[in-house]
Amino acid sequence: MAKPIIKVAAVCGSLREGSFHRGLVRAAIQLCQESIKEIQIEQVEINQLPLLNTDLEGQGTFPPAVEAFRQKIKEADSILFASPEYNFSIAAPMKNAIDWASRPPNAWANKAAAIVSTGGNGGGERAQYHLRQVGVFIDLHFINTPLFSLNAFEQPAKFDKDGNLVHAETKERLKGVLLALHEFTLRIQRK
């Protein structure tokens, strides 16, 4: 019996085109297209979102870019965050996107989520911890394992010069996160 297909919205906290976090999202999309047919990932861009300003809200409406973003989140079964770490926390663009989608009615509510991060020494673990704290308030449910944090600067090389994930073992770790997200999403949907 085939497993149900889930729709995943991928939100990348880095706006830079060649960022390693965007590379993780591209790799996740490619893995699903090649070998995890039960998951469809769509990267949902956040670079067009204005800074959170409730003066921009109308009577139950939001600016067009915010409405489009919120709709993509609502339509998704689960969320994949690619979260850079800045100053021991999540990146400002990601926090802004989270805040816009949490405005009533909360688009994040009761969704499964996973986090992948990369960077230096801790590979973004502190940002992941902070994002999990935010998730408690907005009713996101994160997978607990496997944890995916990657030191991008250790040898062997994990990314090519364009920010694409090229390391086979890391791709397998990423695949493990996606499979866990699929299973956890189905569990939450059954509740």
Side-chain angles (χ1 to χ4, degrees):
M1 187 168 137
K3 291 184 179 179
I5 294 175
I6 64 165
K7 292 171 53 176
V8 177
V11 179
C12 181
S14 177
L15 304 182
R16 198 169 54 80
E17 282 301 318
S19 81
F20 293 155
H21 288 89
R22 285 182 175 269
L24 290 174
V25 171
R26 287 190 301 272
I29 291 169
Q30 183 179 12
L31 282 168
C32 290
Q33 290 170 344
E34 293 173 355
S35 64
I36 312 173
K37 303 296 185 188
E38 303 86 22
I39 302 175
Q40 296 174 344
I41 300 177
E42 177 184 358
Q43 183 168 353
V44 182
E45 294 294 341
I46 62 174
N47 58 349
Q48 75 289 357
L49 297 175
L51 291 176
L52 180 69
N53 177 352
T54 55
D55 288 344
L56 300 177
E57 294 179 32
Q59 296 289 10
T61 63
F62 299 92
V66 173
E67 284 283 2
F69 175 74
R70 288 174 55 84
Q71 190 59 39
K72 293 283 186 185
I73 299 305
K74 287 179 194 173
E75 291 171 357
D77 297 307
S78 55
I79 312 298
L80 175 65
F81 290 100
S83 181
E85 181 177 309
Y86 295 114
N87 300 319
F88 288 15
S89 187
I90 57 180
M94 180 173 286
K95 181 64 166 75
N96 186 57
I98 290 168
D99 291 345
W100 269 122
S102 70
R103 299 291 301 150
N106 178 9
W108 306 108
N110 205 36
K111 292 192 185 291
I115 312 168
V116 294
S117 59
T118 186
N121 296 328
E125 288 177 356
R126 290 173 294 239
Q128 287 196 27
Y129 181 64
H130 192 193
L131 182 51
R132 287 172 184 274
Q133 290 174 317
V134 172
V136 170
F137 185 77
I138 59 175
D139 197 25
L140 271 171
H141 308 283
F142 288 100
I143 65 170
N144 290 320
T145 59
L147 175 69
F148 187 102
S149 59
L150 175 68
N151 185 329
F153 306 107
E154 285 182 339
Q155 291 300 320
K158 309 298 188 289
F159 297 90
D160 67 16
K161 65 178 178 50
D162 297 318
N164 296 307
L165 184 62
V166 294
H167 188 246
E169 288 176 32
T170 302
K171 286 182 181 183
E172 282 302 309
R173 287 183 53 214
L174 181 57
K175 185 176 181 178
V177 169
L178 297 170
L179 292 170
L181 179 60
H182 183 268
E183 180 184 324
F184 191 55
T185 301
L186 296 178
R187 253 192 328 189
I188 286 177
Q189 289 176 340
R190 284 192 293 261
K191 287 185 178 181

